[in-house]
Amino acid sequence: MRTDMIKMTTRALLAALLLGAGLLTSACQQEINPEQSIDTETALSDEQGVQTAVVGAYSRLYQPALYGTNLILIPDLLASPGYLSWQGSFQSYREISSVQITTVNADVQRTWRDAYRLININNLVLEALPVIRDAGERERLQGEMQLMRGLMYFELVRLYGQPSLSSTYGVPLVTRANRTVDEASARLPRNTVQQVYDQILADMRAAEQVLPTQNETGRFDRYDAKALLARVYLQIGNYAQARDLANEVIQSSGATLNSSVLEAFTGDGSSEVLFEVLQNEQNNAGAANDGLATFYSGKSVGFQGRADVAVSATFAAQYEANDERGQQANIGEGLIYVGDAVRTGQLRSFKWNDFAQNIPVIRLAEMLLIRAETNQRLGTTIGATPLADINAIRQRAGATPKVAVTLNDILLERELELAFEGFRIHDYRRTGRNLGSNPSTADARVLPVPQYEINLGNGTPQTPGYL
């Protein structure tokens, strides 16, 4: 996979990237010329071209606007109070952390643009699949692209859509490829949140049916689809479906908890990571002005980073002394440490410690937490009791086992285990909890549609609360 990513220079990928430039007119005007519309028909007309475009789609996942930085950092910055703080010089992240977001925010714009760019690549590949002669291979690629498209819409609707399923302010759905400027310039409505979730579930369910139970490293398989479906169902409150899918992943995927929680973030191919975005020293989100480790790391040994994100002492104090997810005496012994390089003396997260590390997107620990929460809510014990699942996670981390758990205990354990992995604002919204004294569901914590889309008179109305 990594070798393919490094060599990915064929015309198929070039055409896909050019024609996946964006959703609406602005991106097309900025990034493609009309004559380039011919390239995609040629580039995706044979099996090699389609396969290369698929590799190109995966390579976009580590881009800074997506999982390389923003899809993990932005949700946590939106949930900053009592959790973390932004100390860097980038105005776009400061606006998000302080919930004073403008419609011209650079990271609001590039995350929207790059997510839709990837969706267009997914659409291009899906429409080109008839050239794949082997039926099994054709189904595999179909599942990969549908799952990726569903995942991108899930990230978009959670960030740019209002939290309520009844809201008319979702995000535009595009399920056909844009190949020309005219196609990409079409006026599109803003779909309802429910319509977007319907598409997400349709894509992920279809992928679940056709993906293989095992796939190449760094590519989606059937259990990744089940795990992501469990995440989606939890978000929308379908607890029975979330529970059953998480239980299936736990029992049948072959994933096992590492002996140490640090292993998922310090080594590639961890036994508990179901899906991770591949990075290496040549292909990564960045080591200077982008990348999770760039913004989080503040250690003097190894990759130093900018140390722009500080962990709240109040949040860190929730971990027990021996819990390796919390602060330990020496850097690298726990997942929170006192930085000794760049703004020394402040708490940092060790989860993002090297610019070339892989980025875990789905961990088995999340599935245990989903099963525990949904069993607790439903009064069931499918697979295990909520207490057993929570203690499996706590004991692995070196924390004291509990003798009983409440729903609040489970939600807290979820915060402690998944900290700084991009879950917090989404969890607070779905459970209706406040962040400090302010609602997590407030309009100001929903990202606006980029202003350039509004200025061009597209059919996408602005998010409430933004001018």
Side-chain angles (χ1 to χ4, degrees):
M1 175 68 177
R2 289 188 177 186
T3 302
D4 290 341
M5 289 162 61
I6 295 170
K7 294 179 179 178
M8 198 167 45
T9 57
T10 71
R11 65 183 182 181
L13 175 58
L14 176 61
L17 294 181
L18 288 170
L19 291 162
L23 170 63
L24 302 173
T25 310
S26 59
C28 294
Q29 289 177 332
Q30 292 168 10
E31 306 206 26
I32 67 172
N33 296 316
E35 59 267 22
Q36 292 167 333
S37 63
I38 299 171
D39 292 345
T40 187
E41 301 297 339
T42 304
L44 298 177
S45 63
D46 58 35
E47 295 195 14
Q48 181 182 358
V50 171
Q51 292 283 5
T52 303
V54 170
V55 174
Y58 277 102
S59 78
R60 298 212 63 79
L61 292 176
Y62 68 70
Q63 295 301 308
L66 301 179
Y67 289 109
T69 306
N70 282 1
L71 292 182
I72 292 173
L73 179 59
I74 287 177
D76 281 338
L77 291 178
L78 285 169
S80 290
Y83 180 50
L84 52 76
S85 61
W86 176 259
Q87 300 178 322
S89 59
F90 290 108
Q91 178 66 24
S92 57
Y93 293 130
R94 184 179 299 111
E95 286 181 6
I96 294 169
S97 180
S98 62
V99 199
Q100 296 178 340
I101 308 167
T102 65
T103 60
V104 294
N105 182 289
D107 284 286
V108 167
Q109 292 183 10
R110 69 172 178 162
T111 298
W112 172 282
R113 179 199 66 210
D114 280 23
Y116 276 110
R117 175 180 292 168
L118 180 51
I119 287 167
N120 199 49
I121 297 173
N122 301 150
N123 290 339
L124 285 164
V125 172
L126 287 167
E127 292 176 12
L129 284 179
V131 305
I132 304 294
R133 287 165 291 184
D134 181 82
E137 179 66 4
R138 189 165 58 247
E139 286 192 343
R140 179 174 78 103
L141 298 180
Q142 172 195 329
E144 290 179 79
M145 293 298 95
Q146 284 188 295
L147 187 56
M148 194 180 297
R149 183 174 68 180
L151 180 56
M152 285 300 100
Y153 276 124
F154 184 49
E155 299 291 10
L156 282 166
V157 77
R158 290 192 300 171
L159 287 173
Y160 295 86
Q162 289 186 314
S164 172
L165 284 175
S166 63
S167 173
T168 59
Y169 290 91
V171 296
L173 286 172
V174 185
T175 55
R176 296 185 62 184
N178 293 327
R179 291 179 171 81
T180 67
V181 171
D182 287 342
E183 288 176 346
S185 302
R187 293 169 60 85
L188 295 172
R190 188 165 183 165
N191 290 84
T192 68
V193 173
Q194 183 65 63
Q195 288 170 335
V196 178
Y197 273 102
D198 288 345
Q199 181 63 49
I200 292 165
L201 292 172
D203 272 342
M204 291 187 176
R205 279 296 191 191
E208 180 194 17
Q209 297 302 310
V210 298
L211 281 170
T213 55
Q214 291 184 320
N215 206 348
E216 299 170 34
T217 301
R219 293 178 70 156
F220 292 123
D221 63 29
R222 186 170 301 173
Y223 289 105
D224 298 333
K226 292 178 185 292
L228 289 173
L229 276 165
R231 185 184 293 180
V232 172
Y233 280 124
L234 182 70
Q235 190 72 33
I236 62 177
N238 189 331
Y239 300 125
Q241 289 276 25
R243 175 200 61 194
D244 293 348
L245 285 159
N247 182 58
E248 190 174 352
V249 172
I250 293 164
Q251 294 190 340
S252 303
S253 68
T256 57
L257 287 181
N258 296 323
S259 59
S260 167
V261 70
L262 275 73
E263 291 178 35
F265 304 96
T266 56
D268 298 342
S270 160
S271 64
E272 79 170 78
V273 175
L274 287 107
F275 180 76
E276 58 187 351
V277 172
L278 304 184
Q279 295 193 120
N280 57 31
E281 292 188 357
Q282 291 76 40
N283 300 276
N284 53 72
N289 294 317
D290 261 318
L292 291 165
T294 298
F295 296 132
Y296 273 98
S297 182
K299 53 188 174 65
S300 59
V301 177
F303 180 69
Q304 293 185 10
R306 298 169 60 105
D308 286 339
V309 180
V311 176
S312 163
T314 301
F315 183 82
Q318 296 178 101
Y319 295 96
E320 292 181 359
N322 293 326
D323 192 331
E324 69 176 6
R325 298 171 301 180
Q327 182 182 345
Q328 299 300 317
N330 298 313
I331 296 175
E333 293 180 354
L335 287 174
I336 296 177
Y337 63 96
V338 177
D340 63 351
V342 189
R343 304 187 187 92
T344 60
Q346 300 195 51
L347 296 179
R348 309 293 176 192
S349 173
F350 195 74
K351 284 187 174 179
W352 312 117
N353 61 86
D354 189 272
F355 74 97
Q357 74 183 98
N358 288 350
I359 302 168
V361 175
I362 315 170
R363 293 198 289 126
L364 185 65
E366 181 196 354
M367 297 299 106
L368 291 167
L369 288 161
I370 290 175
R371 188 171 71 176
E373 180 182 340
T374 51
N375 268 325
Q376 184 77 13
R377 288 182 182 277
L378 297 170
T380 57
T381 56
I382 299 297
T385 65
L387 178 63
D389 281 338
I390 293 305
N391 279 340
I393 290 170
R394 290 181 61 79
Q395 288 177 286
R396 183 271 291 269
T400 305
K402 289 184 173 292
V403 296
V405 290
T406 65
L407 179 59
N408 285 338
D409 292 331
I410 295 169
L411 293 176
L412 175 59
E413 202 64 43
R414 186 175 170 90
E415 282 197 67
L416 298 179
E417 178 68 25
L418 302 178
F420 318 117
E421 295 179 56
F423 287 90
R424 197 173 197 240
I425 190 62
H426 306 311
D427 282 339
Y428 269 68
R429 283 176 179 163
R430 71 178 175 83
T431 55
R433 287 175 287 171
N434 282 358
L435 288 162
S437 60
N438 299 309
S440 59
T441 55
D443 288 343
R445 295 187 189 277
V446 177
L447 299 186
V449 173
Q451 188 61 42
Y452 62 73
E453 303 286 11
I454 305 299
N455 290 347
L456 287 162
N458 291 297
T460 307
Q462 187 54 274
T463 304
Y466 294 93
L467 299 177

